[in-house]
Amino acid sequence: MSTNQQMNIGRKDVVWNFAGTFMRVASGLIILPIVLRTFPKDEFGLWTIFLAVGAVASLLDFGFSNAFGRNITYIFSGVKKLQTKGYNAIDKNDKAIDFSLLKSVIHAMRKYYAILGVLFLLIFLTISPFYLPHILTRNNYSGNHNTVWIAWLLYGVMVSYQLYTYYYSALLMGRGMVKQNQQAIIIGQSVRILIIYILVLFGHGIVALVIGQFLGDFITRSISYFFFYDKNLKSELKKAVVTSTNHIMKIMMPNAIRIGITSLGGFLVVRAAVPIASLYLPLDVIGSYGLTKQIIDLIVAIGSIWFGTYYPKITSFRVNNDITQLKRMYLKGKFSLLFIFLISGIGLVLFGDFALSLIKSQTQLLPVFMTSIMLLIAFLEANHAMSGNMLLTKNEVPFAKASVLSGLATVLLLFIGLKFLTLGVWVMILAPGIAQGVYQNWKWPLEVVKDIHISYKDYWINFKQFVTQFH
């Protein structure tokens, strides 16, 4: 099992990653026509809140999935010893995989995420009796409250399961098995779409969305497990000896905590608007914002596909100190992001409302000017996030403090705008843009330029290569 075999990522993987990412994010859009046609505005607003709760749950990971995945890549690249900060350069004469180290990391992951799943479920069940009745009562929700409660509790169990199996994707991506990871996602999301369509047509409403997502995730995780633990790997891991999982956690914890703080800040910037605004704004307004953001999130995901596909390889180039390849892949990732945003963003602004009218949607996009501003803010966020991930390949987290400060600033601006200035949906759009524009949007791209010494000539050369691919 050579390193080259594990990190042999190419254009086919980009195609699979595109398909998988599209299915993962766009499955919501594929389902949208029937949901928007059959769900009242307030029920779609409720689903937007459900999704926000799932996003909150991801914070409990606190950066460990990123740390685990990166260290899995180090191990499959030939690293023999993990470090709290930085990385050991690979001995080119000894790139064999240390299976004992790999087994120890996997055991640590399994233990950590089992605790995480139980912790979330306890928190969810404790908060639910207070939060959900407040939302339903405040909005005079006219639907069946018992059905909402069933959907809510099922959603809590589903998210707990998601957390318990959260590391499966990190294992595949860390090993460089991009195609297999995306195949699992495509199959799982296909099942999700089919189940939801059937159950919605039979009138099960929001419960249908939860059951479909639950079954889709279960199938995705099961297939991911099957792909990663192939016959050869099982044989090698069976012979390997596990070292102390506590030792592994101590190595990963410092950077994982920094990434966790960064994730908290990122959540407050990108996701806090819906939970906070749901206390002040009507469900139909939340629904329009959620629909617009869901489509923009799809654009972000598609624009980030190229960089995300090659990220394990980029990490491998880092530990091999191949600066030329790091420049090429980083710049190509930026150009891919910009190209997708320009094409998709213009399409959304010009034809979004028309497309919704064709399917007789009961929920509409935000006005064109608001949508355009959201697109600009989302692009700047995606651009600096890509730069942050580039810096992470060094196993260093320089942006934790800045991220959490941006998050706190976003929450403060949201509270002031909603409570005292009554700016409505505008504050949901502008608060994160202002908080990040002050520092993060420009700081981390600049740091990458300094780190790998990118010149104007590098931009021009790589841009020409990027454009040539489309001729």
Side-chain angles (χ1 to χ4, degrees):
M1 188 180 295
S2 69
T3 302
N4 289 336
Q5 289 176 320
Q6 300 308 321
M7 292 302 158
N8 186 22
I9 301 173
R11 291 186 178 182
K12 289 184 179 179
D13 295 284
V14 176
V15 173
W16 277 107
N17 204 11
F18 179 89
T21 301
F22 183 84
M23 284 296 294
R24 184 178 65 249
V25 184
S27 60
L29 297 181
I30 295 171
I31 293 163
L32 272 180
I34 192 171
V35 171
L36 293 173
R37 181 178 291 184
T38 59
F39 279 38
K41 292 181 181 179
D42 55 355
E43 190 168 7
F44 186 79
L46 270 178
W47 179 241
T48 300
I49 294 172
F50 274 45
L51 295 177
V53 171
V56 172
S58 66
L59 291 176
L60 291 175
D61 168 62
F62 219 72
F64 276 93
S65 63
N66 190 298
F68 282 132
R70 189 170 58 257
N71 281 284
I72 290 292
T73 299
Y74 288 158
I75 294 169
F76 275 102
S77 296
V79 168
K80 301 298 185 295
K81 182 180 179 182
L82 304 179
Q83 295 186 177
T84 300
K85 186 176 182 180
Y87 56 89
N88 285 317
I90 297 169
D91 182 354
K92 294 182 179 180
N93 296 318
D94 182 15
K95 291 189 175 183
I97 298 169
D98 187 332
F99 287 101
S100 292
L101 183 58
L102 175 62
K103 189 173 183 178
S104 301
V105 171
I106 293 173
H107 272 245
M109 294 169 83
R110 187 178 298 134
K111 182 178 179 181
Y112 177 75
Y113 286 105
I115 295 172
L116 217 57
V118 173
L119 179 62
F120 167 79
L121 195 57
L122 291 175
I123 295 173
F124 179 84
L125 293 175
T126 301
I127 295 175
S128 292
F130 308 99
Y131 180 70
L132 188 58
H134 173 78
I135 297 298
L136 296 176
T137 303
R138 183 183 177 280
N139 287 277
N140 296 315
Y141 182 70
S142 57
N144 190 311
H145 286 216
N146 290 333
T147 300
V148 174
W149 269 108
I150 292 171
W152 180 260
L153 294 175
L154 281 174
Y155 192 79
V157 174
M158 180 198 73
V159 173
S160 178
Y161 169 76
Q162 286 177 333
L163 287 171
Y164 174 60
T165 56
Y166 202 63
Y167 63 95
Y168 285 17
S169 181
L171 287 175
L172 286 176
M173 291 301 289
R175 189 177 173 182
M177 300 176 74
V178 176
K179 181 177 74 173
Q180 291 87 341
N181 185 52
Q182 301 310 322
Q183 286 173 337
I185 290 171
I186 290 169
I187 295 171
Q189 292 303 318
S190 298
V191 170
R192 177 193 176 207
I193 293 167
L194 179 63
I195 296 297
I196 287 175
Y197 258 90
I198 293 172
L199 293 180
V200 168
L201 288 173
F202 276 93
H204 292 290
I206 199 168
V207 175
L209 299 180
V210 179
I211 293 175
Q213 185 168 329
F214 204 156
L215 291 176
D217 286 344
F218 176 78
I219 288 172
T220 298
R221 300 298 208 271
S222 299
I223 295 173
S224 297
Y225 182 93
F226 173 79
F227 276 145
F228 182 78
Y229 290 101
D230 58 40
K231 184 178 180 180
N232 289 335
L233 185 62
K234 279 185 177 180
S235 175
E236 294 291 349
L237 290 177
K238 189 175 182 179
K239 294 181 288 184
V241 178
V242 177
T243 58
S244 171
T245 55
N246 291 334
H247 175 67
I248 297 294
M249 295 301 291
K250 285 179 181 178
I251 291 174
M252 296 190 181
M253 190 169 291
N255 271 348
I257 290 175
R258 292 186 187 98
I259 297 171
I261 293 171
T262 302
S263 299
L264 174 61
F267 171 83
L268 294 176
V269 169
V270 179
R271 303 291 180 185
V274 169
I276 294 174
S278 66
L279 302 175
Y280 297 96
L281 301 179
L283 283 174
D284 59 339
V285 174
I286 299 295
S288 290
Y289 173 85
L291 174 60
T292 307
K293 192 171 190 318
Q294 190 174 350
I295 296 173
I296 292 176
D297 285 347
L298 171 62
I299 295 173
V300 172
I302 294 175
S304 304
I305 283 175
W306 195 93
F307 185 82
T309 300
Y310 284 99
Y311 193 66
K313 201 167 187 177
I314 292 169
T315 304
S316 185
F317 284 140
R318 174 70 77 175
V319 296
N320 282 283
N321 295 315
D322 193 337
I323 301 300
T324 300
Q325 289 294 340
L326 287 175
K327 286 182 184 180
R328 184 179 70 84
M329 298 198 126
Y330 173 67
L331 291 175
K332 192 170 182 178
K334 289 173 76 75
F335 295 143
S336 298
L337 178 68
L338 179 60
F339 176 76
I340 294 296
F341 253 88
L342 286 174
I343 300 300
S344 303
I346 292 171
L348 176 62
V349 169
L350 294 180
F351 306 111
D353 288 329
F354 174 71
L356 290 176
S357 67
L358 287 178
I359 63 172
K360 299 178 181 179
S361 171
Q362 296 185 49
T363 302
Q364 298 298 314
L365 295 172
L366 293 176
V368 168
F369 185 60
M370 285 184 171
T371 301
S372 300
I373 298 299
M374 285 183 71
L375 281 164
L376 175 61
I377 291 171
F379 171 76
L380 294 174
E381 154 72 20
N383 183 57
H384 91 239
M386 184 181 295
S387 301
N389 283 322
M390 192 71 181
L391 295 172
L392 270 178
T393 60
K394 299 193 294 181
N395 201 28
E396 297 176 2
V397 191
F399 39 78
K401 183 177 179 181
S403 180
V404 78
L405 287 175
S406 294
L408 293 173
T410 299
V411 171
L412 180 62
L413 291 171
L414 282 168
F415 180 73
I416 293 172
L418 291 167
K419 178 74 173 178
F420 301 106
L421 301 180
T422 61
L423 295 176
V425 74
W426 264 118
V427 76
M428 299 175 71
I429 297 169
L430 294 177
I434 293 170
Q436 298 200 99
V438 171
Y439 187 74
Q440 294 212 96
N441 284 165
W442 60 266
K443 174 64 175 179
W444 309 122
L446 181 61
E447 285 299 310
V448 174
V449 169
K450 293 177 181 178
D451 175 47
I452 56 178
H453 310 292
I454 299 176
S455 65
Y456 289 112
K457 184 179 179 180
D458 291 321
Y459 277 103
W460 177 241
I461 291 172
N462 283 277
F463 178 73
K464 287 194 296 183
Q465 291 176 352
F466 178 78
V467 171
T468 301
Q469 292 181 342
F470 294 95
H471 290 290

